[in-house]
Amino acid sequence: MGFWKTWFSTPESVTANRATSFEEHTGENGNSSVNGDAARNAERIVFSTERDIDLYELEELCDAVGWSRRPLRKVKKAIEHSFLVASMWQVRGNQRRLIGFARATSDHAFNATIWDVVVHPDFQGKGLGKALMKYVLKKLRSEEISNVTLFADPHVVDFYRGMGFMADPEGIKGMFWYPH
């Protein structure tokens, strides 16, 4: 765990509606600083690229949205081998809760694929899924990745279309191979 062991200064942040702030933390230990007692007690949404994620907490998040359970050793391996891991946290004082997650694999030059985008149901419909995706896309673009793909269940296709994703651009069709 150890997510908030020390506090950094000057986090990059933007204010969202409903007086909740979104902060980005990409330092070695994903820490932040906030001045004043009122700020310490305020609820914040924090984004991080820190990979030190409690797998049981991630499993609880995935359970909350009804995803099938996957072996934790494989989830750990997937995170370790991902190009980008993004997490979204609800922070109140010194308490934090994982409320969103996404990861991307990449060839480190041209292409990336986004996987496992999840936002806790208590936080859906508030723009946080969009904020998480914008954060992931910003990080990928900062690495000069120009082609970003993802796979989406039918019930979330419109969400991704609203973010600028297109189904089968230029008539390209994906193909899949699964073991029998």
Side-chain angles (χ1 to χ4, degrees):
M1 304 244 267
F3 192 80
W4 299 117
K5 285 184 182 170
T6 60
W7 295 87
F8 269 23
S9 61
T10 64
E12 176 183 334
S13 65
V14 297
T15 301
N17 43 359
R18 298 186 196 185
T20 299
S21 66
F22 297 100
E23 299 176 13
E24 173 183 347
H25 301 282
T26 56
E28 269 182 40
N29 53 9
N31 299 327
S32 71
S33 79
V34 177
N35 296 324
D37 292 332
R40 276 193 274 286
N41 293 325
E43 177 179 310
R44 300 182 331 267
I45 303 299
V46 179
F47 296 89
S48 176
T49 56
E50 174 65 38
R51 291 173 186 247
D52 186 21
I53 295 171
D54 183 311
L55 296 177
Y56 294 104
E57 198 171 0
L58 179 57
E59 185 175 58
E60 286 178 16
L61 174 61
C62 294
D63 286 348
V65 295
W67 286 8
S68 299
R69 285 209 169 174
R70 298 183 283 185
L72 291 181
R73 68 178 170 75
K74 285 187 150 192
V75 172
K76 181 180 184 221
K77 189 174 185 179
I79 290 171
E80 289 170 350
H81 292 280
S82 293
F83 178 74
L84 173 70
V85 175
S87 53
M88 183 169 59
W89 304 85
Q90 176 192 41
V91 178
R92 281 189 186 141
N94 62 358
Q95 301 285 325
R96 60 126 175 102
R97 174 183 175 198
L98 181 66
I99 61 168
F101 177 85
R103 66 186 186 89
T105 54
S106 178
D107 62 8
H108 296 247
F110 302 105
N111 305 293
T113 301
I114 298 173
W115 303 94
D116 302 332
V117 178
V118 60
V119 174
H120 193 282
D122 293 347
F123 296 87
Q124 292 177 6
K126 299 176 181 184
L128 294 175
K130 184 180 278 190
L132 178 61
M133 284 298 296
K134 285 182 176 183
Y135 178 73
V136 168
L137 291 169
K138 176 183 171 186
K139 292 296 181 186
L140 292 173
R141 292 296 296 140
S142 74
E143 296 291 331
E144 299 182 6
I145 302 294
S146 57
N147 183 33
V148 180
T149 59
L150 58 78
F151 296 91
D153 289 332
H155 68 282
V156 293
V157 167
D158 287 339
F159 169 77
Y160 291 112
R161 275 197 184 114
M163 302 266 337
F165 284 86
M166 299 171 280
D168 299 320
E170 301 176 24
I172 298 169
K173 302 290 182 189
M175 298 179 73
F176 300 86
W177 180 89
Y178 295 104
H180 299 301

